[in-house]
Amino acid sequence: MGDPRQNDWEITNDLAVGPQIHRIIRERIVSTDLLPGMRLSEAELAKSYNISRQPVREAFIKLADQGLVEVRPQRGTYVRKISVAAVLDARFVREAIESDIASFVAQEPDDQFLERLEQLIVEQKKAEKGDADAFLKLDHEFHHCLAEAAGKTYAWKVVEDVRAQLDRVRYLSYFQFPMEEIIAQHVRIVSAITSKNPEAASEAMREHLREILHTLPDISRSRAELFDDVDFTSSP
């Protein structure tokens, strides 16, 4: 039986090729389909997706900026190991931005916006015992929905730019830690927003985004081959 994610990793004709190949390679790295240390061939990827080498080359450059691949001159492009330091930095940035977003939207939440958050939680409960990809996409949509409601487009772009390494850990955590607690944290965030309590919404978001501080040590020890700098003595 083929990988059920394969359909999501196909190039379609209705969208620009560049963003699609970047997304596909990124998702394959995050989901450990492409493992740390693996050499990525620009020519082979272009051939396998029946596209030119230029968009693949551009995707490599962007993925390198996001810390997912390393381009070694005259040697090739390789999938980077997960950097604990980068994960902790990204978490710090997300907490700073998203706790303020939660506080902002809790001041005067829109009914339609609240309904959408509730629906996403329902969908998360259905997906939690399914595949990790579905759950993590719904989790991402939950946070994106908050940023959209706050009108913080640039702030969300900053979050998007730093979350690549976080996503790799979150994917691994799906298989080792119960997702029920993540959903319960989302429920607490929505409850605080519904109650128009900015302080409680901010604190609920901070608690949610600090969850990785508890799970990261166990994940890195159990999958040590995927990490390159396991040191938690200076965790923020």
Side-chain angles (χ1 to χ4, degrees), residues 8 10-12 15-27 51 55-56 58-59 62-63:
D8 291 334
E10 293 179 353
I11 299 291
T12 62
L15 296 170
V17 170
Q20 286 190 78
I21 193 63
H22 169 263
R23 175 188 61 80
I24 289 168
I25 299 173
R26 183 189 186 283
E27 288 183 0
I51 59 177
V56 178
E58 292 173 354
K62 189 170 183 180
L63 291 164

Side-chain angles (χ1 to χ4, degrees), residues 25-162:
I25 299 173
R26 183 189 186 283
E27 288 183 0
R28 291 181 64 184
I29 292 172
V30 166
S31 66
T32 66
D33 180 65
L34 298 175
L35 289 168
M38 183 179 293
R39 186 179 187 278
L40 302 180
S41 167
E42 184 182 297
E44 289 177 8
L45 281 167
K47 182 179 179 180
S48 66
Y49 288 104
N50 194 30
I51 59 177
S52 70
R53 294 174 63 164
Q54 183 61 28
V56 178
R57 186 178 305 120
E58 292 173 354
F60 282 176
I61 293 171
K62 189 170 183 180
L63 291 164
D65 288 341
Q66 295 174 330
L68 293 178
V69 304
E70 180 182 4
V71 180
R72 303 175 187 172
Q74 310 304 319
R75 295 179 61 188
T77 299
Y78 296 82
V79 178
R80 297 191 67 165
K81 289 189 175 184
I82 301 171
S83 166
V84 170
V87 170
L88 295 175
D89 279 351
R91 188 218 63 81
F92 182 84
V93 171
R94 283 198 68 180
E95 179 181 329
I97 292 174
E98 294 196 56
S99 61
D100 274 2
I101 285 176
S103 175
F104 184 86
V105 297
Q107 295 175 28
E108 288 294 335
D110 175 80
D111 288 342
Q112 187 174 357
F113 156 66
L114 291 173
E115 288 174 8
R116 180 57 184 151
L117 290 180
E118 294 284 2
Q119 181 58 38
L120 285 170
I121 289 175
V122 170
E123 293 175 20
Q124 287 169 14
K125 289 178 179 178
K126 292 179 181 178
E128 65 174 306
K129 294 182 180 178
D131 65 287
D133 299 271
F135 182 86
L136 294 177
K137 284 177 182 177
L138 288 167
D139 177 77
H140 176 258
E141 191 171 349
F142 178 87
H143 288 269
H144 187 203
C145 183
L146 289 165
E148 279 191 323
K152 304 301 181 183
T153 306
Y154 180 77
W156 181 251
K157 182 182 182 302
V158 173
V159 169
E160 289 275 53
D161 287 345
V162 303

